[in-house]
Amino acid sequence: MPRKSGETPSYRVTSAGVNPTEDRAHRMKMYFIAMTLRLACVLSLFWVTGWWLVFPVVGAIVLPWFAVMVGNAVAHGGEETVAAPDPLPLSSLNVEETPQAPTQAASELLIVDVDPVRRSSPRPANAQHLSEEETA
């Protein structure tokens, strides 16, 4: 998405998609509203008469299907694809291009032999002397 040639590309955070927690809360709210309307349709069957009875019957039959379809419809973040940077290309490493390390450091071998110290419990200063006496 560069604007001018040579300019660093910019990416929008809004193309990242829908938060799953917010999407689930919205679907639960819509399901609750649809099932509340269905309950109102079923309860209204007791006092509605005549041809008006068709509306609560259709609502009581269609609203459960609608509620399940809305409850299961997961938002995928819209039609827009997520803006992601292109991966960097791998290049071969030429020996001639690498900086030469000092040969003296490559020829020396340094070995560090230290007993591990637990940081959770500090050892007293004479603990090393005690452990040497116990082993003798």
Side-chain angles (χ1 to χ4, degrees):
M1 300 169 138
R3 294 180 187 160
K4 298 176 185 175
S5 63
E7 188 176 329
T8 312
S10 63
Y11 300 98
R12 293 183 297 162
V13 177
T14 57
S15 67
V18 180
N19 183 356
T21 306
E22 292 175 4
D23 180 45
R24 182 172 182 255
H26 175 72
R27 289 185 290 126
M28 288 175 62
K29 180 179 171 184
M30 295 301 291
Y31 182 83
F32 177 76
I33 291 171
M35 293 311 284
T36 304
L37 287 174
R38 179 187 185 231
L39 179 66
C41 288
V42 170
L43 292 176
S44 67
L45 290 174
F46 293 108
W47 67 80
V48 174
T49 58
W51 65 273
W52 289 101
L53 193 61
V54 172
F55 294 114
V57 169
V58 170
I61 293 172
V62 173
L63 280 174
W65 173 82
F66 175 75
V68 169
M69 295 302 286
V70 168
N72 290 335
V74 178
H76 296 288
E79 298 80 24
E80 192 173 318
T81 60
V82 176
D86 295 328
L88 295 175
L90 295 176
S91 62
S92 63
L93 184 64
N94 294 333
V95 178
E96 296 84 26
E97 295 176 8
T98 59
Q100 296 295 325
T103 56
Q104 182 183 8
S107 64
E108 292 182 15
L109 179 63
L110 180 63
I111 298 176
V112 179
D113 189 19
V114 179
D115 291 332
V117 178
R118 291 190 177 186
R119 295 182 182 184
S120 60
S121 61
R123 295 177 62 180
N126 62 356
Q128 185 176 4
H129 298 294
L130 293 175
S131 62
E132 289 175 3
E133 292 173 1
E134 292 173 358
T135 58

